[in-house]
Amino acid sequence: MNTFFSKKALVLLAFLTVLILLGPYGDSRVSAIDRNTYKNLKTFSEVLDMVEKNYVEPVDSDKLMQGAINGMIKSLDPHSSFMTADMYKELEVETRGSFGGLGIEITILKDVLTIVSPIEDTPAFNAGLKAGDQIIKIDDKSTKDITITEAVKKLRGPRDTKVTLTIFREGMTKPKDFVLTRSIIKIKSVKSKLYDNQIGYIRISSFQERTVDDVKKTLKELEAKASPLRGLVIDMRNNPGGLLNQSVEVSDLFLKSGSIVSTRGRSKNMESKAVAKDDKDEPSCPIVVIVNEGTASAAEIVSGALQDNGRAVILGTQTFGKGSVQTVIPLEDGAALKLTTAKYYTPKGRSIQAEGITPDIVVKLVRPAEEKNGPEEQMMRLRERDLQGHIKSTKELEAKPEDQKKDPKEDAKKETDPLAQDNQLKNAIDILKSWDILKRNMKG
């Protein structure tokens, strides 16, 4: 009898501990442990006792408690989760840019496990998985009612082990299996390039511990090569987000003043506002930011900050719309609670949650294969000089015979030219190239 009451006391204590932990993050009137709360805890205790005594097989009390906590957190929203000590360690490793798995950011969208974004140069990206793909099964087991934490655990694993994802995508008549081999995911969050010796290109694939330092270094390198930099493209397509503080600091690199982002929760201590400071070394050239449906969370903060402050033109398609803040609260036993505690807002007070960032210029990505489909598209690329027997231009007449020979290397160069494969990037660069011309015409 004493043992029975002792166990019930431990169960009640565990749940009271969770409620107390949540207390400071919620409204005091709601989080107070009132009579109704005690009544519910009594009901839970009775159900636990019935399960332990009457279930067809012996049950593990710890497993039952784990399931009860997971169920409670799962009822809140797709991004809140309870993490065991091992899961919490994995989360810490992930933010440092190296972890084992497939390389995808996932969420629960309309009760379906959905890919937010595949990360570049990972098994998922190389296999052709896309933002918006629905994961119907993992290793032939349904993902119905699965939590994010459970899904991550199934998707990660030792290097060189295989996992089969059953994917359903818009336009498919039936789901398709993708067999992927896990690898150590080492994410280089920042890449760069210089176009025409004057247009800088910075690709930010996620926001990790060193992202702002990498962007700073990259900016200096581009400015030294270009001298001066006439324009800058910031590519955040399929950027699933990451660390909030890194997105704020990256935004600050391009802003001399103004609000960057504000957060609002139920309690005052979750309200905050980040403001840009003038470091005297912000780039002064025009900026175009490229986004798409895989641009989420921290990447949307940067896009919204630069857009609302009039610092950049946003080009591409509507972003994902993940505008909530998750606070990770460590627990005594090494586990942690990842809890949605606030929503964030752009400088003009726009909520990103379930809305996303609307581009200033909407440009859908057109794949080269799609461009070659219709005869009308082929006619658009046919020019006078392509017609047999055309009257030659002065340039053609003056050209030496050796100049008229077709160079196969030139064709190969065109095939690998990123601008020939990426109409969104080409549009962004064309806008920056014409910036000075437009300014002169407007002044005139």
Side-chain angles (χ1 to χ4, degrees):
M1 191 72 174
N2 289 337
T3 304
F4 171 78
F5 281 110
S6 175
K7 181 175 285 189
K8 294 305 152 196
L10 287 172
V11 171
L12 289 174
L13 178 61
F15 264 82
L16 288 172
T17 300
V18 172
L19 289 169
I20 291 167
L21 279 169
L22 299 184
Y25 296 90
D27 188 297
S28 59
R29 292 169 298 178
V30 177
S31 60
I33 305 174
D34 56 16
R35 292 179 182 176
N36 191 51
T37 303
Y38 279 114
K39 182 181 177 182
N40 290 334
L41 286 172
K42 183 175 180 294
T43 302
F44 172 81
S45 180
E46 289 174 353
V47 171
L48 178 65
D49 182 46
M50 290 178 190
V51 172
E52 287 180 326
K53 287 181 176 178
N54 301 308
Y55 189 66
V56 64
E57 294 177 354
V59 292
D60 184 339
S61 296
D62 291 339
K63 187 176 179 181
L64 288 176
M65 285 296 297
Q66 179 85 43
I69 294 172
N70 283 332
M72 176 175 64
I73 303 302
K74 181 184 173 183
S75 69
L76 300 174
D77 68 85
H79 306 294
S80 294
S81 62
F82 174 77
M83 295 176 284
T84 62
D86 289 340
M87 291 175 183
Y88 184 32
K89 286 177 183 176
E90 282 191 22
L91 177 68
E92 291 179 311
V93 169
E94 183 178 335
T95 59
R96 297 189 187 108
S98 177
F99 56 94
L102 303 176
I104 49 175
E105 178 80 7
I106 55 175
T107 189
I108 304 293
L109 190 62
K110 296 180 180 177
D111 297 325
V112 180
L113 186 64
T114 304
I115 295 177
V116 174
S117 177
I119 301 168
E120 286 182 17
D121 303 324
T122 64
F125 183 87
N126 296 332
L129 297 184
K130 298 180 180 180
D133 283 354
Q134 297 179 334
I135 304 176
I136 307 301
K137 295 180 182 177
I138 300 175
D139 284 334
D140 209 33
K141 292 184 179 178
S142 173
T143 58
K144 183 176 172 58
D145 296 327
I146 197 170
T147 65
I148 293 291
T149 305
E150 291 167 344
V152 169
K153 191 174 180 180
K154 288 177 179 290
L155 295 173
R156 290 190 183 170
R159 182 178 182 170
D160 295 329
T161 58
K162 295 186 182 295
V163 60
T164 301
L165 303 187
T166 304
I167 298 293
F168 186 77
R169 179 182 300 162
E170 187 177 351
M172 284 183 173
T173 55
K174 61 180 182 179
K176 178 182 177 182
D177 285 345
F178 287 78
V179 180
L180 293 87
T181 303
R182 297 182 180 94
S183 68
I184 300 301
I185 309 299
K186 293 182 179 179
I187 306 168
K188 185 179 179 182
S189 70
V190 180
K191 298 178 182 179
S192 66
K193 193 171 182 178
L194 190 64
Y195 287 94
D196 297 336
N197 296 316
Q198 58 185 358
I199 306 296
Y201 170 84
I202 298 178
R203 165 72 181 151
I204 306 176
S205 58
S206 62
F207 289 90
Q208 301 165 4
E209 285 183 351
R210 289 192 50 80
T211 298
V212 68
D213 293 330
D214 291 341
V215 174
K216 277 183 185 177
K217 181 182 176 183
T218 300
L219 268 174
K220 287 179 180 178
E221 290 173 351
L222 289 173
E223 287 170 341
K225 289 178 183 177
S227 190
L229 203 60
R230 285 184 53 193
L232 184 65
V233 176
I234 302 174
D235 186 354
M236 291 193 292
R237 289 173 292 182
N238 297 319
N239 181 326
L243 298 176
L244 175 64
N245 70 311
Q246 291 291 301
S247 69
V248 170
E249 291 183 42
V250 167
S251 301
D252 196 13
L253 293 178
F254 305 102
L255 296 171
K256 290 182 178 292
S257 62
S259 173
I260 294 174
V261 65
S262 60
T263 62
R264 302 175 210 163
R266 285 173 59 197
S267 60
K268 287 288 183 183
N269 65 340
M270 288 312 302
E271 292 183 6
S272 65
K273 185 176 182 180
V275 179
K277 56 186 182 298
D278 188 355
D279 293 321
K280 311 299 181 186
D281 60 354
E282 292 86 356
S284 57
C285 62
I287 299 172
V288 175
V289 176
I290 314 179
V291 299
N292 67 358
E293 61 280 359
T295 304
S297 192
E300 291 175 292
I301 287 176
V302 177
S303 304
L306 299 185
Q307 185 181 50
D308 279 8
N309 282 288
R311 186 61 190 91
V313 172
I314 311 297
L315 179 147
T317 53
Q318 192 83 8
T319 63
F320 183 78
K322 197 265 184 184
S324 58
V325 179
Q326 279 70 48
T327 301
V328 177
I329 309 164
L331 304 176
E332 286 185 6
D333 63 350
L337 184 64
K338 186 168 76 169
L339 189 67
T340 299
T341 53
K343 295 179 183 178
Y344 50 72
Y345 297 80
T346 71
K348 290 186 177 180
R350 293 182 294 159
S351 172
I352 296 170
Q353 180 60 26
E355 295 292 334
I357 299 294
T358 301
D360 300 301
I361 303 172
V362 176
V363 178
K364 293 182 179 179
L365 181 65
V366 180
R367 301 289 179 186
E370 294 172 3
E371 292 177 340
K372 296 174 185 175
N373 283 341
E376 185 179 342
E377 293 291 340
Q378 293 175 5
M379 284 297 294
M380 286 174 68
R381 289 194 298 275
L382 192 66
R383 303 180 68 179
E384 170 69 18
R385 67 186 179 198
D386 299 318
L387 300 177
Q388 187 174 359
H390 71 277
I391 300 172
K392 289 182 168 44
S393 66
T394 305
K395 188 175 181 180
E396 286 177 297
L397 291 170
E398 291 176 351
K400 296 176 182 179
E402 57 267 25
D403 294 334
Q404 296 177 12
K405 292 179 181 178
K406 193 172 183 180
D407 185 359
K409 291 181 181 178
E410 194 64 30
D411 281 348
K413 184 179 177 183
K414 288 179 181 177
E415 287 297 319
T416 57
D417 180 8
L419 296 186
Q421 309 292 320
D422 190 341
N423 65 301
Q424 289 176 325
L425 177 56
K426 185 178 185 305
N427 270 268
I429 290 175
D430 286 345
I431 288 170
L432 292 170
K433 283 182 178 179
S434 61
W435 202 281
D436 289 339
I437 299 171
L438 293 170
K439 280 174 67 177
R440 285 199 301 271
N441 289 342
M442 288 175 70
K443 287 179 181 178

